[in-house]
């Protein structure tokens, strides 16, 4: 079974609809992240969470919200979807840095392809 | 926002050829540099994490070097195979309390049989 799962894998929705993307992990990691990928652009960070009580905005958080329901679950919501939110969305997890180091290797889910019409 | 540049954006090589590409990143406040391999329709997977100037990492035919003083890393693939076709991403690890990865746009490698 995959360590990081995302649901749904594909979603088509209409402008103005509320949509939630879900991420679950069995790696036991404290840190979770949401990224979006657009053609020609790198992965851009939307939100990240270092534990259940810690939520932080990333580079492009406008129009998105998140919920960290448990250590293993991190959801991304689009309150009112718009066409320029059409993208490939990735969830990722990482463990705490090794003491004295800052490696923070991230483990990615399979992605959710979202289309907003 | 940090600037992480990768070049070239894409390249095509013949099977058996060796190739390399570059990641440039800020040379100040360096913490770590990551390389990820992203195959089409799959998830990005970590290749290397490099933390020290002069670091060299190797995994099979793929290797990477790091120069933190001048702010660049090279990824080398020796004897490219079709299964090496993927997008190779580098990411600069931002410390100083935020602990975020800033990704480059990637180099898309296509290996022609």
């Amino acid at each position: 079974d995959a360590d990081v799962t995302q649901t749904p894998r594909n979603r088509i929705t209409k402008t103005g609809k509320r949509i939630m993307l879900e991420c679950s992990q069995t790696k036991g990691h404290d840190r979770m992240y949401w990224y979006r990928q657009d053609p020609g652009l790198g992965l851009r960070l939307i939100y990240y969470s270092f534990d259940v009580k810690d939520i932080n905005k990333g580079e492009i958080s406008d129009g998105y919200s998140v919920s960290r329901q448990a250590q293993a679950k991190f959801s991304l919501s689009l309150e009112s979807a718009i066409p320029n939110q059409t993208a490939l969305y990735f969830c990722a997890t990482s463990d705490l840095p090794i003491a004295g180091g800052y490696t923070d290797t991230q483990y990615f889910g399979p992605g959710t392809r979202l289309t907003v019409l | 926002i940090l600037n992480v540049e990768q070049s070239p954006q894409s390249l095509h090589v013949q099977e058996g050829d060796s190739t390399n590409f570059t990641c440039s990143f800020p040379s100040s406040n360096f913490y770590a540099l990551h390389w990820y391999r992203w195959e089409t329709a799959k998830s990005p997977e970590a290749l290397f994490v490099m933390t020290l100037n002069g670091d060299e990492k190797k995994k099979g035919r793929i290797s990477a070097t790091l120069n933190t003083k001048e702010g660049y890393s090279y990824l080398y693939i020796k004897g490219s195979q079709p299964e090496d076709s993927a997008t190779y991403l580098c990411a600069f690890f931002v410390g100083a309390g935020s602990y975020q990865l800033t990704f480059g746009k990637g180099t898309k490698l296509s290996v022609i049989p």
Side-chain angles (χ1 to χ4, degrees):
Chain A
D1 288 341
D3 294 319
V4 185
T5 58
Q6 293 183 233
T7 56
R9 295 292 310 279
N10 289 281
R11 180 72 181 267
I12 300 173
T13 191
K14 294 182 178 180
T15 296
K17 293 290 187 181
R18 184 180 188 275
I19 185 167
M20 180 182 288
L21 309 183
E22 298 187 347
C23 177
S24 295
Q25 53 113 347
T26 58
K27 298 186 77 68
H29 288 169
D30 285 321
R31 299 181 172 193
M32 298 187 74
Y33 308 80
W34 276 104
Y35 292 91
R36 67 176 278 176
Q37 198 274 330
D38 298 276
L41 298 178
L43 288 165
R44 292 184 292 165
L45 185 63
I46 306 171
Y47 270 97
Y48 62 104
S49 169
F50 284 174
D51 63 40
V52 174
K53 298 179 182 178
D54 178 80
I55 302 289
N56 303 280
K57 292 183 178 181
E59 179 187 348
I60 52 165
S61 59
D62 288 348
Y64 302 94
S65 62
V66 291
S67 174
R68 185 81 184 266
Q69 300 95 324
Q71 186 204 39
K73 296 184 182 296
F74 192 36
S75 300
L76 176 73
S77 294
L78 288 68
E79 297 301 325
S80 179
I82 56 176
N84 78 359
Q85 291 177 313
T86 293
L88 181 59
Y89 289 84
F90 283 105
C91 173
T93 73
S94 68
D95 208 347
L96 290 170
I98 297 169
Y102 298 95
T103 59
D104 203 39
T105 295
Q106 295 189 9
Y107 299 87
F108 287 83
T112 294
R113 187 166 294 281
L114 176 66
T115 303
V116 183
L117 301 177
Chain B
I1 297 175
L2 298 175
N3 201 24
V4 179
E5 299 283 347
Q6 290 189 248
S7 63
Q9 189 173 5
S10 66
L11 74 163
H12 295 77
V13 301
Q14 291 292 135
E15 181 175 353
D17 286 351
S18 295
T19 188
N20 66 86
F21 23 92
T22 307
C23 173
S24 301
F25 53 85
S27 56
S28 59
N29 298 318
F30 177 84
Y31 285 88
L33 192 285
H34 294 233
W35 282 99
Y36 287 82
R37 180 172 181 272
W38 184 15
E39 290 183 71
T40 302
K42 294 186 178 181
S43 313
E45 292 185 345
L47 278 174
F48 305 115
V49 179
M50 310 177 77
T51 57
L52 297 175
N53 185 45
D55 252 358
E56 292 189 30
K57 300 276 187 176
K58 187 175 182 180
K59 183 181 290 187
R61 293 178 291 97
I62 304 176
S63 60
T65 60
L66 178 68
N67 183 323
T68 61
K69 296 184 185 304
E70 297 182 37
Y72 65 84
S73 175
Y74 292 139
L75 190 78
Y76 299 91
I77 302 179
K78 183 178 180 182
S80 302
Q81 299 297 308
E83 58 265 30
D84 296 328
S85 297
T87 297
Y88 292 83
L89 302 169
C90 72
F92 181 72
F93 187 61
V94 181
S98 63
Y99 302 105
Q100 300 177 42
L101 281 179
T102 298
F103 284 84
K105 296 178 183 180
T107 293
K108 185 173 183 179
L109 173 67
S110 300
V111 181
I112 304 164

